[in-house]
Amino acid sequence: MAAFAHSAPCWADVQLPDLEAGKRFYGGLFGWTFRAGDGMPFADALSDGRLVAALAAKKDGRMPTAWGVYFSTDDIRASVASVREHGGQVITEPVRAGRAGIVAEAADPGGAVFGLWQPQERAGFEKLRDPGSFCWTEVYTRRPELVDPFYEKVFGFHGTDLDEAGHGVRDGAEALVDFRTWSPEGVEPGADTAVGGRSVITDAFPAEMPSYFLIYFAVADCDAAAELAVRLGGRVAQQPSDIPYGRMAVLHDDQGAAFAVLEPAEPRP
């Protein structure tokens, strides 16, 4: 079982009203296949036979139709206590997910929801950063002054502020800084070691938009993926555009769940 470092994003799932429709959409978009026990309200998604995500049928229609990310922890009860200590909210106390691991759900001080995962038989993703698999996540918030120290204290992240070109900003440098990358403990902070990031919800967005995590999946062709998503019944929320790390687009599936696709700037070795 491949291990994930403490605080690394290790899993993603989506809550959907119609599980079978979700299988058709994501199977068509990413080529995923699915595995589930008979009658179970969820399905593991696989790419090239390796675990990449899960689709779940919503238990309650009031739940959001949304993707969620989980961070690995080697002591979930200590992580839950740290969430409370540093201004977050525990939504679901730690509970065993069979023999796979222990899961909890929490929210940061800005209201963005995330999961915690203490692995047992399942570590998380079996495929990463290659087409059809998870490659990045970032939280969108209106309260960076609360959210930044929260993640740094709860997960031990070290932040690097980036300018519009995606370059690190030195202390005292004059630049428009609205994005921060997070690197785990034990490595040199910076874009090359980052496991996630933080962006800011500006006044350009509706006031009722809540804080949230955006999940990115790697693709070989961003424009083609966006076009295919539309043909499958989804829509494009942010048209394909170039960023320092490649070409990306924000999409919605045919049931409304938002996610992003990224065509990396350089092929992986």
Side-chain angles (χ1 to χ4, degrees):
M1 179 180 70
F4 284 82
H6 177 77
S7 78
C10 66
W11 192 243
D13 63 19
V14 63
Q15 301 288 326
L16 298 169
D18 187 332
L19 179 58
E20 294 305 314
K23 291 180 184 180
R24 291 192 293 271
F25 179 88
Y26 290 102
L29 182 63
F30 295 132
W32 289 350
T33 56
F34 300 94
R35 179 181 68 199
D38 292 340
M40 297 299 288
F42 67 89
D44 286 330
L46 300 98
S47 176
D48 298 325
R50 292 177 285 171
L51 287 168
V52 289
L55 279 57
K58 292 199 296 186
K59 300 176 183 178
D60 186 332
R62 294 170 295 181
M63 294 173 62
T65 300
W67 278 95
V69 65
Y70 295 77
F71 293 92
S72 184
T73 175
D74 48 20
D75 188 338
I76 198 166
R77 296 196 180 279
S79 295
V80 163
S82 186
V83 166
R84 287 195 173 100
E85 179 184 355
H86 296 107
Q89 177 186 0
V90 177
I91 300 171
T92 305
E93 296 286 349
V95 61
R96 291 190 177 277
R99 292 177 295 183
I102 306 172
V103 63
E105 191 174 40
D108 68 26
V113 176
F114 60 91
L116 295 165
W117 180 253
Q118 181 178 327
Q120 292 180 319
E121 292 187 358
R122 176 179 292 194
F125 301 119
E126 294 177 346
K127 179 180 179 180
L128 276 170
R129 294 181 289 276
D130 288 322
S133 66
F134 173 92
C135 63
W136 184 252
T137 189
E138 59 202 26
V139 65
Y140 282 74
T141 183
R142 287 187 170 85
R143 303 299 302 275
E145 73 282 2
L146 297 179
V147 165
D148 288 348
F150 172 82
Y151 287 104
E152 289 162 9
K153 292 173 181 175
V154 172
F155 291 125
F157 289 147
H158 297 283
T160 301
D161 291 321
L162 303 183
D163 63 19
E164 289 182 307
H167 301 121
V169 179
R170 296 180 180 177
D171 292 341
E174 292 295 330
L176 176 62
V177 177
D178 60 5
F179 189 79
R180 171 174 287 193
T181 61
W182 293 324
S183 297
E185 289 183 306
V187 299
E188 183 69 23
D192 292 341
T193 60
V195 296
R198 183 269 295 147
S199 192
V200 174
I201 301 173
T202 68
D203 293 339
F205 293 91
E208 60 271 17
M209 176 181 284
S211 299
Y212 67 99
F213 272 91
L214 182 65
I215 309 300
Y216 286 68
F217 295 101
V219 293
D221 187 324
C222 176
D223 294 78
E227 293 174 3
L228 179 55
V230 172
R231 292 201 299 273
L232 291 167
R235 66 182 180 88
V236 178
Q238 180 179 324
Q239 291 292 333
S241 60
D242 293 325
I243 61 173
Y245 311 104
R247 188 164 176 81
M248 62 87 66
V250 180
L251 310 175
H252 287 253
D253 67 22
D254 59 341
Q255 299 180 66
F259 61 100
V261 292
L262 175 68
E263 177 187 340
E266 297 179 0
R268 287 176 54 77

